[in-house]
Amino acid sequence: MPVYQEKQLQEISKQFQIYGEILHAETCKIGHINETYSATYDQGGMRIRYIHQKINKYVFKNPTAVMRNLERVSTHLRFKLESMRVPHITRRCLAIIPTRSGKSYYVDRAGDFWRTFVFIEGVHTLETVQSPGQAYQAGYAFGEFQNLLVDLPGGRLHETIPDFHDTRKRFTALQEAIQKDHLNRAQSAAPEIAFALKQEKIVDVILKALAKGKIPERITHNDTKFNNVMLDVVSGEAMCVVDLDTVMPGCALYDFGDMVRTTTSPTLEDELDLSKVKLQMPIFEKLAEGYLATAGKFLNKAERELMAFSGKLITFEIGIRFLTDYLNGDNYFRIHRPGHNLDRCRTQFKLVESIAQQEETMQKIVNKLNGVEVRRRRTTGKTKKR
Ligand code: GN1
Ligand code: MG
């Protein structure tokens, strides 16, 4: 981390209710959007860590709304966990450290918003799933997250990024970027553009179901990447769901879809060897099982029926977002090499193909988990063929 940032962080850290001297700080290289640091303090002779995070103003145009949502969501989660008598609550949900004046964030001289969280010890996040059990944990944790927020009081949350998963608007944005092509990059992405445009028929499926009221609006996380679940390093149990800036009104399937995207392939999001990118069915099965163990308490029939499809749609959506950003000049997602967003896009599209090939089997697994077959057998007396 450059020295000036460390100095800047020392200034920032003084604004929060932390009773200690900052010893050192490191950049956390997670996420494409916010800047995150873990800082070690000497507090009463003990070493203690906190997370300091700067909100990306380009992406989150209304950071006050982000923080208001975060306060409400984390307070509610805490309340629910307390009432369920769950132990170690500060390892189970994000705990905001207030500023010295009691606010949840600090605005620095440059107008940037900073917040501080308790650092959760003894957990880690992983970029890829290494076992079906981990996928189960991720599914369970995000499902439980949605489940605990079903009764959030106080009215609708702010839409911190309006139309975040509006796949039609994402598709239109891609079409515009192709048409403008102001950096002359479209040619270098010709196969990806052709692939994207060919998928138009899937774009409106969930939007239509929402518009018709078949699928309800729910409070959703909206960024359910596998690396947003903290796993206990000893037990492997999912402890805490993080990255709550996009928690807002949404569709449960967006969350499930992004879990499919980020758990089922053994590869990283920007894998260059596309032959390795594929949906692994045993992982999907465990993911769905974990998710339904918790979200199964509230999902309706239409939501359950689109679970496999949602994996394809959300993988496609993120793919076209990477492609759009590549064409527009990489302004949104942080990149680490030229062409990075195009590489990410290719990986997503390869996964879309793999999901499409296996979608029927995936949905059969979901139906089985949902007990559809069992119910049919009960009503018809017949055993359904597999
Ligand atoms: C961004 O920063 P990160 O990695 O948590 C993005 C998600 C994408 C993801 C792709 C606010 O999340 O929507 O799915 O990158 N977050 C925002 O890796 O746009
Ligand atoms: Mg995020």
Side-chain angles (χ1 to χ4, degrees):
M1 185 172 61
V3 175
Y4 77 92
Q5 281 183 342
E6 192 145 350
K7 270 204 186 134
Q8 188 194 18
L9 262 191
Q10 292 198 351
E11 263 322 293
I12 300 294
S13 72
K14 285 185 196 139
Q15 310 302 325
F16 293 92
Q17 291 185 27
I18 295 174
Y19 305 99
E21 310 288 310
I22 190 165
L23 298 173
H24 54 88
E26 282 98 40
T27 311
C28 297
K29 288 203 185 79
I30 46 163
H32 302 324
I33 309 287
N34 291 325
E35 267 176 51
T36 311
Y37 304 92
S38 71
T40 306
Y41 289 76
D42 175 51
Q43 189 174 291
M46 277 286 281
R47 284 184 175 221
I48 187 157
R49 291 197 274 182
Y50 291 96
I51 292 287
H52 299 299
Q53 198 172 45
K54 183 167 103 177
I55 301 179
N56 181 326
K57 285 190 291 194
Y58 173 79
V59 169
F60 295 102
K61 310 276 187 225
N62 186 353
T64 319
V66 169
M67 292 311 296
R68 183 66 200 120
N69 279 3
L70 184 61
E71 288 165 22
R72 287 179 56 196
V73 166
S74 55
T75 306
H76 185 68
L77 290 175
R78 166 153 325 212
F79 166 78
K80 294 288 286 256
L81 294 171
E82 272 168 9
S83 56
M84 289 154 66
R85 304 205 184 283
V86 173
H88 308 297
I89 287 179
T90 51
R91 297 188 78 223
R92 296 265 177 192
C93 74
L94 284 182
I96 304 172
I97 304 292
T99 64
R100 301 219 176 252
S101 60
K103 287 176 87 170
S104 64
Y105 58 87
Y106 166 69
V107 186
D108 69 12
R109 271 181 240 124
D112 282 313
F113 281 61
W114 289 85
R115 70 275 176 94
T116 296
F117 299 108
V118 165
F119 185 103
I120 305 177
E121 297 288 349
V123 291
H124 61 178
T125 56
L126 301 172
E127 293 301 316
T128 55
V129 163
Q130 270 122 39
S131 67
Q134 285 178 351
Y136 181 94
Q137 287 298 320
Y140 188 98
F142 282 122
E144 179 69 345
F145 182 83
Q146 292 178 338
N147 188 35
L148 293 177
L149 291 174
V150 160
D151 57 351
L152 179 82
R156 207 166 178 262
L157 288 170
H158 293 287
E159 285 185 51
T160 56
I161 304 181
D163 306 318
F164 192 56
H165 284 295
D166 187 318
T167 35
R168 174 51 64 182
K169 289 198 174 145
R170 296 290 188 189
F171 194 79
T172 306
L174 172 65
Q175 288 172 313
E176 281 169 12
I178 298 168
Q179 215 230 325
K180 284 192 195 129
D181 192 21
H182 70 101
L183 293 170
N184 287 320
R185 288 183 173 183
Q187 212 185 355
S188 57
E192 290 72 30
I193 290 174
F195 178 86
L197 298 179
K198 247 173 64 190
Q199 311 303 315
E200 187 170 1
K201 58 185 178 306
I202 67 171
V203 166
D204 298 317
V205 173
I206 290 183
L207 291 171
K208 277 189 184 154
L210 278 164
K212 283 187 190 154
K214 286 188 175 171
I215 287 180
E217 179 180 279
R218 301 190 187 279
I219 297 172
T220 50
H221 182 284
N222 294 304
D223 192 5
T224 53
K225 285 166 85 161
F226 181 55
N227 68 5
N228 278 332
V229 184
M230 294 192 148
L231 304 168
D232 187 282
V233 287
V234 178
S235 69
E237 188 192 344
M239 297 305 292
C240 182
V241 162
V242 298
D243 195 3
L244 307 186
D245 299 334
T246 49
V247 178
M248 58 181 153
C251 164
L253 289 167
Y254 298 152
D255 282 0
F256 186 70
D258 208 23
M259 288 180 231
V260 174
R261 178 181 83 86
T262 58
T263 59
T264 58
S265 176
T267 49
L268 294 173
E269 191 174 68
D270 56 359
E271 173 64 55
L272 292 170
D273 182 352
L274 296 184
S275 69
K276 292 184 183 154
V277 181
K278 55 174 173 299
L279 177 128
Q280 306 167 100
M281 203 59 81
I283 303 273
F284 174 78
E285 185 161 6
K286 279 290 163 190
L287 173 75
E289 194 185 323
Y291 181 64
L292 287 168
T294 43
K297 291 172 193 158
F298 61 82
L299 291 177
N300 76 13
K301 189 166 169 280
E303 288 171 310
R304 291 167 200 265
E305 284 171 0
L306 285 169
M307 279 173 63
F309 172 81
S310 75
K312 184 171 71 180
L313 181 68
I314 295 303
T315 307
F316 176 67
E317 183 206 88
I318 312 293
I320 62 173
R321 289 178 62 198
F322 287 141
L323 182 54
T324 307
D325 200 31
Y326 170 71
L327 295 173
N328 286 342
D330 308 306
N331 305 312
Y332 189 95
F333 295 105
R334 193 160 40 232
I335 57 166
H336 304 290
R337 57 176 188 254
H340 204 169
N341 275 320
L342 183 57
D343 293 340
R344 288 169 176 154
C345 159
R346 287 193 180 120
T347 311
Q348 305 315 299
F349 286 176
K350 182 68 201 303
L351 187 56
V352 169
E353 284 179 326
S354 175
I355 297 175
Q357 282 158 8
Q358 304 184 72
E359 197 177 331
E360 238 176 81
T361 314
M362 289 162 68
Q363 192 56 42
K364 275 190 189 150
I365 288 173
V366 170
N367 294 346
K368 203 171 150 198
L369 289 166
N370 278 324
V372 166
E373 289 192 313
V374 174
R375 274 202 297 278
R376 272 202 203 133
R377 253 180 264 146
R378 252 188 230 139
T379 50
T380 63
K382 285 183 200 150
T383 308
K384 199 177 171 281
K385 275 192 208 141
R386 297 209 184 151

